[in-house]
Amino acid sequence: MSGMGESGFDGFMDTYRRTGLVFESGEGAQLTAVDGRSYLDFASGIGVSSLGHGHPRLAAALGAQAARLIHVSNYYNTPVAMAAARELCAATGFDAVFFGNSGAEANEGGIKLARKHGSSKSPDRTTIVTLVNSFHGRTLAALTATGQEKFHKHFGPFPAGFAYVPADDLAALDAAIDGKTAGLIIEPIQGEGGVYPLSVAYMKRAETLCRERGALLICDEVQCGMGRTGAVLASTAAGIRPDVVLVAKGLGGGVPIGAVLARGEAATVLGKGDHGSTFGGNPLATAAARVVLSELAREGFLESVARVGELIMDGIRSWKHPLVREVRGRGLMIGAVITAKPDRVKELCAEEGLLVLTAGDDVIRLLPPLILTESQAMKGLGFLKKALDRAFAES
Ligand SMILES: *Cc1c(COP(=O)(O)O)cnc(C)c1O
């Protein structure tokens, strides 16, 4: 592989299982490594580079904004941040937004909002309920909210006031949401947990239970939001109206930005001094978000995400491949449950020229840029098929 630092000290803390690939540039759904080899990108970071690489409008907007103004503190407003806030609320149907810099921070903001809302009604209404196999980020409260033990190891003690229920289990949810629940956080499609879409019936019941019992319904759409599933928000497409939605990953097309969106009463919970972020909503990041929002609004853009996603899912299913047990997801958020080691298949995909991700213990996860064309989808499918065939031959 073309990387440096696979063996020797390269100055980074050793927190990532890196592949050894070193990328220098990209164009559309294509990435080029320092050795000149190019790869079709079915990962887009981790569902971040929603407009692909080297997007001309995004690059131009960032260049122009950088020349005009990169930063002022949140004691001041900027036209670009104001426009982004207005456009994000309009695109999602929410009333107010708080901008941060990442998905974990969006979750932290959602947790704080729910705690203030709950405790103002009753002092012990502070519990945050989340799902087993969820992923909400690496900061301590978001990590505590994450319902996967493997991420918790080494990092306790954890903040109190979190409870976990298995996904899609109505009885467990009914038992967990009570007068002490400040909020329920769900990912409409669990991402890191294995590309697992919650059933619509479950999400609707979760909404009803939260409403009846005074808890806030929070959807973590950091991965499945911002057009990823062929809808601006997966929760809206499922027909539910959460009080709070958290977005990040794809929102800035690669530029770090996250957001807490709230509607109705929830939109007025956080007041002066309650929350803040030095970098949150800075002119550069919000300029990027504006470009992403305007691309999502282009005629046929979201329809294309849905169509190309179906094409990929149908394609994989049509192979009836001996290693593939199930294909699930929506739009360009796709998981293939396989019986081979996902890391090995990912490695073989890279050898073929395709970048993919894994999720959970047994899932190959595809999160291509939302601009992926049908012919790129077909080309990627060809690489994936070859990789699976090679993995099967090894087994
Ligand atoms: C990635 C992710 C996060 C964390 O986002 P960071 O930007 O890495 O902090 C939170 N929730 C979900 C659903 C995610 O996929």
Side-chain angles (χ1 to χ4, degrees):
M1 288 285 142
S2 49
M4 295 189 327
E6 285 179 87
S7 45
F9 176 67
D10 57 14
F12 296 102
M13 286 192 194
D14 195 22
T15 54
Y16 300 104
R17 264 176 231 99
R18 297 197 205 267
T19 58
L21 292 171
V22 181
F23 289 113
E24 183 156 60
S25 63
E27 194 185 338
Q30 205 79 21
L31 273 172
T32 304
V34 286
D35 64 1
R37 197 170 169 212
S38 73
Y39 295 81
L40 189 54
D41 184 5
F42 273 22
S44 30
I46 304 173
V48 167
S49 308
S50 44
L51 304 182
H53 307 284
H55 191 274
R57 274 196 63 214
L58 180 56
L62 285 170
Q65 187 60 53
R68 202 176 298 125
L69 184 67
I70 293 177
H71 179 81
V72 291
S73 82
N74 278 309
Y75 292 118
Y76 310 104
N77 232 324
T78 61
V80 58
M82 289 190 279
R86 187 174 59 242
E87 288 159 6
L88 181 57
C89 286
T92 54
F94 278 78
D95 297 323
V97 60
F98 176 89
F99 283 123
N101 312 286
S102 69
E105 281 175 78
N107 276 271
E108 297 279 338
I111 292 165
K112 283 179 70 176
L113 192 161
R115 286 252 171 101
K116 185 178 176 195
H117 177 263
S119 61
S120 69
K121 311 265 167 188
S122 147
D124 61 354
R125 189 187 270 281
T126 54
T127 303
I128 304 294
V129 178
T130 68
L131 303 188
V132 172
N133 247 352
S134 58
F135 184 85
H136 300 295
R138 305 288 197 148
T139 55
L140 266 170
L143 182 63
T144 309
T146 294
Q148 299 190 58
E149 274 308 314
K150 67 177 177 193
F151 293 110
H152 289 185
K153 214 170 63 187
H154 313 305
F155 301 116
F158 295 98
F162 287 81
Y164 312 90
V165 289
D168 271 342
D169 182 334
L170 286 172
L173 191 65
D174 195 357
I177 308 284
D178 58 23
K180 293 189 172 164
T181 311
L184 167 70
I185 312 181
I186 57 173
E187 293 162 84
I189 302 181
Q190 293 187 330
E192 307 299 317
V195 192
Y196 179 81
L198 297 180
S199 80
V200 170
Y202 180 80
M203 289 192 273
K204 291 206 161 147
R205 185 72 191 136
E207 179 181 20
T208 306
L209 284 176
C210 287
R211 289 283 131 75
E212 285 175 0
R213 299 179 190 176
L216 292 184
L217 176 63
I218 302 171
C219 284
D220 180 348
E221 298 218 23
V222 167
Q223 192 162 149
C224 65
M226 300 320 298
R228 178 55 52 193
T229 65
V232 177
L233 295 179
S235 50
T236 315
I240 57 167
R241 281 174 62 81
D243 303 287
V244 174
V245 160
L246 314 172
V247 292
K249 288 195 168 89
L251 174 60
V255 177
I257 183 169
V260 180
L261 289 156
R263 65 159 55 102
E265 195 196 338
T268 63
V269 167
L270 293 176
K272 288 189 184 11
D274 280 339
H275 199 41
S277 163
T278 297
F279 291 117
N282 76 63
L284 206 60
T286 47
R290 290 195 70 197
V291 176
V292 171
L293 285 163
S294 76
E295 290 296 317
L296 294 191
R298 250 183 219 275
E299 193 173 337
F301 188 97
L302 292 171
E303 289 78 2
S304 165
V305 173
R307 188 181 63 249
V308 177
E310 283 299 324
L311 189 79
I312 294 175
M313 286 190 277
D314 289 346
I316 301 172
R317 288 186 188 118
S318 74
W319 302 334
K320 300 191 189 320
H321 199 280
L323 291 184
V324 179
R325 282 198 1 240
E326 188 191 349
V327 182
R328 60 194 182 206
R330 187 148 300 128
L332 287 170
M333 180 166 184
I334 299 169
V337 185
I338 59 170
T339 52
K341 284 243 175 308
D343 278 329
R344 179 61 186 150
V345 173
K346 177 173 117 176
E347 216 168 75
L348 292 168
C349 281
E351 285 181 24
E352 296 297 331
L354 179 70
L355 303 176
V356 301
L357 297 158
T358 62
D361 298 326
D362 57 358
V363 174
I364 287 289
R365 175 173 42 158
L366 310 178
L367 301 172
L370 307 183
I371 48 115
L372 195 78
T373 63
E374 288 188 12
S375 71
Q376 288 166 334
M378 298 311 292
K379 190 172 162 196
L381 279 173
F383 293 149
L384 178 61
K385 172 91 168 36
K386 274 192 200 155
L388 285 169
D389 288 345
R390 285 175 63 191
F392 185 64
E394 287 175 5
S395 67

